[in-house]
Amino acid sequence: MSRGYNKVILGGNLTRDPELRYTTSKMAVVTMSLATNRAVKQKDGTWKNEADFHRVKVWGKQAEACKRYLSKGAPVFVEGRLSTSSYEDKSGQKRWATEVVANEVIFSPMNKKNDNTSSDLGPLSDVELAIDDIDEDEGNVDIPF
């Protein structure tokens, strides 16, 4: 195999508001923290919910849209790749950090911070349409985030 394959797909909820900054070349970049939950069977046969936390980086206009429309607790679907970098901490030890670099972030316009703003994010995706069509009274809908 001459090429590797690096693809990540996550669905979860934001643990804090997206943090927007700009590079020296005026490129927008957002950093978000995404929590994904999973059920783990314990030795005694009971189930326990556990969470994994993922650092996500989003670039360009998509980053600005994330900052504008998302906030802590929002459900988000992220597709991207893993990126690992190294750095030296204050004591001089080499550390490694892995994050998801998003190619696509999908969220529902229902999650807008400000309902007075119009969405310029384009047509709704299938996931967004599915979220919009959920009848909350049914309660048995299993969404992956």
Side-chain angles (χ1 to χ4, degrees):
M1 177 183 234
S2 62
R3 275 181 43 182
Y5 188 74
N6 183 353
K7 185 165 188 131
V8 175
I9 300 173
L10 298 171
N13 296 83
L14 295 185
T15 63
R16 63 177 187 262
D17 290 345
E19 297 173 13
L20 176 68
R21 60 185 173 80
Y22 290 88
T23 65
T24 54
S25 62
K26 308 288 190 232
M27 174 68 82
V29 59
V30 152
T31 302
M32 306 185 298
S33 179
L34 184 70
T36 55
N37 299 316
R38 58 191 163 87
V40 177
K41 192 170 187 177
Q42 304 296 300
K43 289 180 182 178
D44 64 3
T46 61
W47 291 87
K48 179 181 175 187
N49 285 328
E50 292 186 2
D52 292 310
F53 300 94
H54 314 276
R55 183 181 165 115
V56 178
K57 195 170 277 186
V58 186
W59 293 88
K61 290 195 178 286
Q62 195 168 205
E64 292 172 335
C66 288
K67 177 62 177 174
R68 183 174 180 186
Y69 293 100
L70 296 176
S71 58
K72 180 179 178 178
V76 178
F77 185 79
V78 174
E79 180 271 320
R81 64 181 172 83
L82 288 179
S83 177
T84 304
S85 57
S86 65
Y87 64 95
E88 282 191 23
D89 67 11
K90 293 177 183 177
S91 65
Q93 271 195 324
K94 191 170 190 173
R95 302 278 183 188
W96 297 88
T98 301
E99 63 189 7
V100 176
V101 178
N103 294 328
E104 185 174 11
V105 179
I106 300 172
F107 51 90
S108 172
M110 292 172 42
N111 294 322
K112 288 187 224 176
K113 287 188 207 174
N114 181 356
D115 289 332
N116 295 328
T117 60
S118 62
S119 174
D120 58 354
L121 298 177
L124 296 176
S125 70
D126 291 340
V127 172
E128 291 166 332
L129 290 172
I131 291 170
D132 290 340
D133 292 339
I134 293 172
D135 182 2
E136 292 181 7
D137 295 332
E138 289 181 20
N140 289 332
V141 179
D142 188 17
I143 300 176
F145 49 89

